[in-house]
Amino acid sequence: MDHASNSIIGQAMNRVDGPAKVTGTAQYAGDHQIASGIAEGYIVEAPAGPGRIKALDVTSAESAEGVIMVLTYRNAPAQTPYGEPEDAGRFTQSHAVLENDQVRHFGDPVALVVAQTLEQARYAASLVRIEIETSDKIYNPLDHRDDAIKPDSVDGLDAVDSHRGDFDAEFAASENRLEASYVTGAQHAAAMEPHVTVAQWDGERLTVHMAIQIVSSAVSAFANTLGISEKNVRIISPYTGGGFGSKLGVHNEAILAALAAKVCARPVRVVQTRRNLFANAPHRSRHLQELKLGAGQHGKLKAIRHYSLAGMARDYPFAEAPASPTRASYAANAIHTIHRVVKADIPKVDSMRAPGEAIGTLTFETAVDELAEMCQIDPVAFRMMNEPATDPSSGDAFADRRLTECITTAADRFGWTGRVAPASRREGRNLIGRGMAVAIRPNVLNEARAEVTLSTAGELTARLDMTDIGTGSYTILTQIAADTLSIPANLVSVELGDSAFPETAGSGGSFGAASSGSALLDACRNLKILLGEHLAQAGLSANGFKIEGDRILAGSSDIALADILDSDGLHAEGAVDPDDYGHGTAQYSYGAQFCEVAVDADTGEIRVRRLLGVFDAGRILNEKTARSQLMGGMIFGIGGALLEESLMDERYGSFMNRDFAENHIAVNRDVPDLEVHMLDGFSKDANPLGSKGIGELGICGAGPAIANAIYEATGFRARKFPIHLEDVLDHLPAL
Ligand code: MOS
């Protein structure tokens, strides 16, 4: 495609949905109003689990003021058993709730109180009396290594394990060897908008307004769970207030709203409270990762082994792949990666912010830093000298690997002058340390379709079931349409998040912009061809025509669109087929991150002072939204390294820190001025736009850059994340 510098694509265009969002006119699912009113549902969570409901008394709740009904397993409509069919995949399998007297885990819904107001429902919920008889359980998978199994698949990878070369021999032959075990904590997405669904039935037809990342698989999930036809499910989700993976699929509030609306024969809204999310929305599992790295005398990597163990929620098949980046980062004679899971009685485990890479680079890149030091080689030089020529796992050629360019550019901009001895840089009471790490993330293209209509007034409407989860989908799609058809962006309306629109892969896996954008590009090109045909039919030159408002300039003619089009305008469809791209190459986005921290020599307080990233994500579709996404990712990196952890009370299997007071995400005070640079590029094998995934790239490498900087400041090597100030206390200079 034309990669001209005057292209609208790439420009730092403000979000087209910005004004609607800041003025409150953008309708999120929870804002949805229905003239006849909406009843409010409140989730009653199991106070223990797994087990069986021994006693459940809802009589006081039922007679409380404003209560319409209390939905329990006794009166809930029949559903497809949870998890069936087993081969459907986690997004489309049955998400049944209140199925029977069994409780899956602590916090599993045991009732939904539906009342006129949320306050009434919430109060009545406090009157529900319940007793659970608990059964055998596994809460902490890391204590049950004997129960570890190989999952059928891991997220984002073709194979669960990979074995290239003779690891044992290469490791034994390595002069420098590192063996280290790491634990990364459980994490929950902290979307600004909690999960929310408004459900309404019209006979057999179900309409839901909900917060969701992928519309089409959610349609299947409702249909499958409720045993209705997909044709009878309509999902509307024009805006979603953050997802981070936790809204890829439907969760308990969604099914509860649909069930309650059916039984009550009126619309029902269920909003998860922040506390609900910790049991009723998915989380990133706690992981054990074991790394064995071997390098020769002069720092050439010979052997890499990465083993990962995590909890998998029973009957919900998802396993994260922390060893994903390990397979493609460095050349080595032997690379073995292994993923294992233990089925556990915990809430759903699912994708969260760069599943795999976020915690995989966190451990692997800190281990690489440690190995570089053992080899007495600067961490930057160590990475450069182990750069692979082809994908070390598949042997495929890289589509366009620009990792070393990211590293050298970042080192230069950061002012990297080489590693210094730990605790050797001091400013007042602060120990200053610097560190770096690389970012690598698979680039993905998924199937998508789009439709466009050009009105005789020269306005273009684009429709896709793509979602905007805060990332800027509306804006980049507007830019793609305006650019392809050479019409002003203010004449383009993009309509998203409706299952009535053409199917896309939605927002996830950093594939959203490329997949839906490529489909829209195709639709706009098809529209252009059709328009040319209409011009030719009218005897006008179809070469290099230009749409200007409601007129079209073709050759020396200037005619009204209305003169060549029907009154309902011109319609075209488009699609992208991933098989047409890639061409057998290994596809990744890349980056390098450099960090400076200050560690208080007396208290151990750790502060990130600078975080700089240089990224290669192919062609940048919008300089502003891309930068924001990368910054968001880097901030998640700060969270993963220093703050975010959901702690479980292992007596009960309950997450304890279920609010922002105790479950810490990085806030302004934790975030320094972030510096983001994007390499100018066009990834021709990736997709017709030349872009690569960016949404999850910024998180990769950010955490280990921080950990490596903490090492230089203090000499402390983390073996568990997040790193807390008490971890470094023993490494501070004596008072
Ligand atoms: Mo992403 S964790 O696929 O939303």
Side-chain angles (χ1 to χ4, degrees):
M1 95 171 292
D2 179 22
H3 181 202
S5 57
N6 62 358
S7 169
I8 297 174
I9 298 174
Q11 286 179 17
M13 183 190 274
N14 286 336
R15 285 162 194 268
V16 296
D17 48 335
K21 284 182 175 171
V22 298
T23 56
T25 54
Q27 271 231 340
Y28 287 79
D31 300 330
H32 183 61
Q33 298 293 334
I34 295 172
S36 57
I38 302 174
E40 307 285 347
Y42 192 85
I43 297 171
V44 181
E45 297 184 348
R52 191 182 66 85
I53 297 175
K54 205 164 76 180
L56 178 60
D57 181 359
V58 298
T59 47
S60 315
E62 278 173 337
S63 55
E65 189 187 340
V67 170
I68 297 162
M69 73 162 309
V70 180
L71 192 71
T72 68
Y73 74 91
R74 294 175 186 140
N75 57 354
Q79 300 159 76
T80 303
Y82 183 92
E84 289 187 13
E86 269 182 44
D87 57 358
R90 70 193 196 277
F91 297 145
T92 55
Q93 68 175 40
S94 169
H95 289 250
V97 276
L98 308 181
E99 210 183 336
N100 50 39
D101 64 354
Q102 299 297 309
V103 167
R104 314 188 67 78
H105 54 78
F106 186 104
D108 200 16
V110 289
L112 183 81
V113 178
V114 183
Q116 304 289 351
T117 70
L118 182 59
E119 292 73 17
Q120 289 168 336
R122 185 171 195 152
Y123 171 68
S126 73
L127 304 176
V128 173
R129 291 288 161 255
I130 175 157
E131 261 181 79
I132 309 286
E133 184 179 281
T134 57
S135 43
D136 286 350
K137 57 234 166 198
I138 292 180
Y139 292 147
N140 183 355
L142 308 192
D143 286 347
H144 292 266
R145 203 162 167 169
D146 290 347
D147 295 324
I149 55 164
K150 183 178 175 178
D152 292 338
S153 63
V154 283
D155 187 50
L157 296 179
D158 293 338
V160 174
D161 296 345
S162 69
H163 290 91
R164 282 182 76 91
D166 183 341
F167 173 81
D168 291 335
E170 295 291 343
F171 190 65
S174 297
E175 283 83 354
N176 295 293
R177 286 193 288 262
L178 175 74
E179 290 187 52
S181 290
Y182 302 82
V183 173
T184 58
Q187 296 177 333
H188 281 82
M192 219 188 290
E193 174 202 39
H195 294 54
V196 48
T197 301
V198 180
Q200 182 174 23
W201 290 86
D202 175 11
E204 289 304 299
R205 289 188 54 82
L206 170 68
T207 302
V208 293
H209 289 75
M210 73 182 301
I212 190 83
Q213 292 177 232
I214 307 175
V215 166
S216 58
S217 52
V219 167
S220 309
F222 278 106
N224 191 26
T225 306
L226 303 171
I228 58 177
S229 160
E230 291 191 1
K231 286 192 202 72
N232 284 333
V233 180
R234 170 103 180 264
I235 294 180
I236 298 169
S237 185
Y239 297 102
T240 289
F244 315 116
S246 76
K247 292 174 184 164
L248 287 165
V250 305
H251 298 298
N252 293 341
E253 98 292 341
I255 302 302
L256 287 168
L259 295 173
K262 183 95 190 171
V263 176
C264 298
R266 64 169 94 187
V268 172
R269 171 173 22 236
V270 183
V271 184
Q272 292 204 34
T273 63
R274 185 61 59 184
R275 292 182 67 81
N276 283 150
L277 298 179
F278 288 81
N280 288 282
H283 70 287
R284 163 176 278 143
S285 187
R286 203 164 172 231
H287 278 72
L288 167 73
Q289 295 178 60
E290 292 174 349
L291 283 161
K292 289 189 186 182
L293 306 181
Q297 208 178 346
H298 306 293
K300 194 85 198 72
L301 269 167
K302 291 183 176 177
I304 299 173
R305 185 179 187 275
H306 193 161
Y307 169 92
S308 162
L309 178 70
M312 174 185 268
R314 235 180 263 289
D315 303 319
Y316 193 77
F318 172 83
E320 187 163 344
S324 160
T326 308
R327 292 186 186 175
S329 293
Y330 302 105
N333 299 338
I335 302 177
H336 288 197
T337 64
I338 304 113
H339 295 101
R340 294 293 177 268
V341 295
V342 171
K343 292 192 178 176
D345 303 285
I346 53 180
K348 280 180 193 160
V349 170
D350 209 329
S351 296
M352 179 172 161
R353 300 185 210 139
E357 301 81 24
I359 57 170
T361 61
L362 189 55
T363 59
F364 183 56
E365 282 289 307
T366 56
V368 167
D369 198 78
E370 196 166 342
L371 184 67
E373 199 204 13
M374 290 170 80
C375 298
Q376 296 182 299
I377 297 175
D378 183 80
V380 170
F382 185 86
R383 286 170 170 86
M384 303 286 280
M385 66 181 282
N386 285 297
E387 177 70 4
T390 55
D391 185 342
S393 290
S394 63
D396 291 341
F398 286 111
D400 48 354
R401 185 176 169 108
R402 299 175 72 191
L403 181 57
T404 55
E405 199 179 337
C406 291
I407 296 173
T408 51
T409 309
D412 190 47
R413 287 184 177 271
F414 183 81
W416 180 259
T417 48
R419 168 127 287 164
V420 300
S424 64
R425 246 195 288 249
R426 194 157 177 164
E427 281 178 24
R429 57 188 276 171
N430 282 321
L431 297 164
I432 308 301
R434 293 176 178 180
M436 57 84 59
V438 301
I440 177 165
R441 191 178 188 286
N443 179 57
V444 180
L445 180 67
N446 282 339
E447 253 180 82
R449 297 188 299 119
E451 63 182 27
V452 289
T453 303
L454 180 69
S455 74
T456 53
E459 291 159 345
L460 186 89
T461 305
R463 294 194 177 98
L464 313 79
D465 80 357
M466 176 62 180
T467 49
D468 192 323
I469 60 173
T471 45
S473 309
Y474 282 105
T475 312
I476 58 117
L477 294 172
T478 298
Q479 289 172 277
I480 290 165
D483 186 76
T484 312
L485 291 166
S486 305
I487 61 175
N490 62 6
L491 293 181
V492 176
S493 324
V494 174
E495 298 180 3
L496 303 177
D498 188 329
S499 60
F501 298 160
E503 185 170 328
T504 70
S507 301
S510 303
F511 50 64
S515 307
S516 58
S518 298
L520 180 61
L521 176 72
D522 187 54
C524 291
R525 285 174 173 173
N526 289 338
L527 186 90
K528 217 167 166 173
I529 293 168
L530 282 179
L531 200 51
E533 287 169 9
H534 277 75
L535 285 168
Q537 276 163 21
L540 298 166
S541 162
N543 286 332
F545 61 83
K546 204 166 170 344
I547 308 163
E548 288 220 330
D550 61 355
R551 306 195 68 77
I552 187 155
L553 313 181
S556 55
S557 333
D558 173 355
I559 56 159
L561 277 166
D563 290 339
I564 57 163
L565 301 183
D566 291 342
S567 59
D568 52 359
L570 191 60
H571 183 81
E573 295 178 1
V576 65
D577 179 353
D579 290 344
D580 294 342
Y581 298 91
H583 313 121
T585 57
Q587 302 248 354
Y588 296 89
S589 296
Y590 303 97
Q593 308 227 33
F594 283 71
C595 175
E596 182 177 294
V597 298
V599 179
D600 188 302
D602 297 328
T603 68
E605 179 182 344
I606 301 161
R607 288 284 163 193
V608 177
R609 298 220 302 193
R610 296 169 63 199
L611 190 55
L612 176 147
V614 173
F615 302 97
D616 160 38
R619 185 189 196 186
I620 300 304
L621 299 175
N622 178 314
E623 213 271 337
K624 185 182 251 178
T625 56
R627 179 178 302 279
S628 295
Q629 290 232 58
L630 289 165
M631 288 173 72
M634 291 161 80
I635 293 167
F636 294 152
I638 297 173
L642 301 176
L643 297 163
E644 293 187 55
E645 183 171 17
S646 299
L647 295 160
M648 182 174 273
D649 183 332
E650 288 175 14
R651 293 170 301 173
Y652 310 111
S654 65
F655 285 109
M656 296 182 284
N657 47 345
R658 293 168 71 164
D659 57 45
F660 289 145
E662 296 192 321
N663 201 303
H664 295 164
I665 56 169
V667 296
N668 284 349
R669 181 69 180 85
D670 302 304
V671 181
D673 277 342
L674 301 176
E675 226 181 301
V676 174
H677 299 278
M678 293 168 270
L679 299 184
D680 190 27
F682 188 93
S683 194
K684 65 177 175 38
D685 295 314
N687 59 62
L689 290 163
S691 67
K692 293 195 286 191
I694 208 164
E696 293 161 300
L697 181 59
I699 187 170
C700 305
I706 295 166
N708 295 338
I710 292 171
Y711 167 73
E712 198 187 78
T714 64
F716 168 72
R717 285 287 185 193
R719 291 291 188 263
K720 67 161 189 61
F721 295 96
I723 303 169
H724 291 150
L725 60 81
E726 62 268 27
D727 298 326
V728 302
L729 285 179
D730 288 345
H731 291 79
L732 301 178
L735 289 174

